[in-house]
Amino acid sequence: MSAEAVVVSPEWLVLREPADAAARSAELAERLRRHLPPAGRLVIHDLGGGSGAMGRWLAPRLPGPQHWVVHDRDAELLERAVAAPPSSASVTVEARRSDITRLTPDDLAGASLITASALLDLLTADELVRMLRACTGPGRVTLMPADPLDARIGAAFNAHQRRGRLLGPDAVAAAVEELRGTGAEVLVRPSPWRLDAAHADLTAEWFGGWVAAACEQEPALAVEAGAYRDRRLAQAAAGELAVTVDHADLLVLP
């Protein structure tokens, strides 16, 4: 059975929401809260989010403000998610009709957090692998506080990295797949840059190149990119910008 074939009734989701809320781990939610930055807007993608139950439970347990992007194939459920958002003025909800088995890292660019509930058992093994690669693929950049142009710049930069059949942000996944095919043990660990006021020079140099590559790939971005770059660099110089640039370390054991 795959997510493509499953239809979930709104009535079933209403019935199960209280039981899910009582069963979910408050301990893990608290650990997540401590891990997230205390300031700035969180952008949270909820995969297969249906009527938005996860947001109604989790949003009050996380720092705000928050913007939830609910992905689902069912337009009726998405309407319910928008109509019944978490009870906080600092939380907004966006419905995005998506086939979550076909998401790419670019679809999730700029996410502070990715959630899912009652989803994994509805996926095939191949669908699960594709979804996890979309969620964890290196090449993602997170800037706090968020800016409306972050996702477009990030998607254009990743497309620039893939030009001419280069692997770009897909390199780690491709290397892991090839190496595991040899029978080797492959360990992958995240090793992101975490840039703040102490790295102002590096942030400025990296950011300028990031934006320039994005504009080369998508020239229409240049209209807004100048003001965006100046705004972000001013935030970095003032110690108001935190940047996470995903990288990964690989260890291969024959």
Side-chain angles (χ1 to χ4, degrees):
M1 182 181 295
S2 73
E4 183 76 16
V6 174
V7 177
V8 180
S9 74
E11 294 75 19
W12 167 246
L13 295 182
V14 169
L15 283 172
R16 70 172 292 166
E17 184 168 345
D20 283 337
R24 288 190 175 113
S25 173
E27 176 191 354
L28 292 184
E30 172 59 21
R31 183 170 179 178
L32 171 63
R33 186 193 65 77
R34 294 196 304 267
H35 177 78
L36 293 170
R41 188 181 73 151
L42 298 175
V43 179
I44 303 169
H45 287 251
D46 188 13
L47 307 187
S51 61
M54 173 61 86
R56 288 188 288 274
W57 181 83
L58 185 57
R61 292 168 167 79
L62 300 181
Q66 303 163 33
H67 179 66
W68 282 72
V69 182
V70 182
H71 295 259
D72 206 279
R73 296 181 65 252
D74 191 316
E76 180 183 353
L77 294 181
L78 289 173
E79 289 178 3
R80 291 176 178 243
V82 173
S87 56
S88 171
S90 64
V91 177
T92 56
V93 175
E94 171 190 345
R96 191 172 296 180
R97 196 169 184 184
S98 307
D99 178 352
I100 57 92
T101 68
R102 299 183 181 277
L103 293 175
T104 70
D106 291 344
D107 294 317
L108 303 174
S112 313
L113 171 66
I114 300 169
T115 69
S117 176
L119 172 66
L120 302 187
D121 58 326
L122 302 180
L123 302 176
T124 67
D126 289 342
E127 288 170 342
L128 176 61
V129 168
R130 286 201 301 270
M131 190 188 76
L132 292 178
R133 285 178 179 171
C135 295
T136 62
R140 293 199 304 123
V141 170
T142 303
L143 300 99
M144 299 296 292
D147 185 284
L149 206 57
D150 292 344
R152 285 182 60 199
I153 294 288
F157 177 83
N158 284 340
H160 184 270
Q161 292 292 88
R162 294 185 177 105
R163 70 196 185 283
R165 300 179 65 188
L166 296 175
L167 286 172
D170 305 317
V172 170
V176 168
E177 182 176 2
E178 185 70 21
L179 289 164
R180 285 182 175 156
T182 70
E185 181 181 3
V186 183
L187 304 177
V188 184
R189 296 293 183 268
S191 55
W193 284 356
R194 301 189 188 279
L195 309 179
D196 54 23
H199 311 91
D201 291 343
L202 174 58
T203 300
E205 188 69 20
W206 167 82
F207 192 81
W210 190 61
V211 173
C215 291
E216 182 179 325
Q217 179 68 26
E218 191 177 328
L221 283 171
V223 175
E224 302 174 75
Y228 170 77
R229 181 185 59 246
D230 293 345
R231 182 167 64 250
R232 286 311 214 178
L233 292 179
Q235 290 174 327
E240 299 171 351
L241 182 67
V243 181
T244 302
V245 183
D246 278 355
H247 297 96
D249 291 347
L250 274 66
L251 174 63
V252 183
L253 302 174

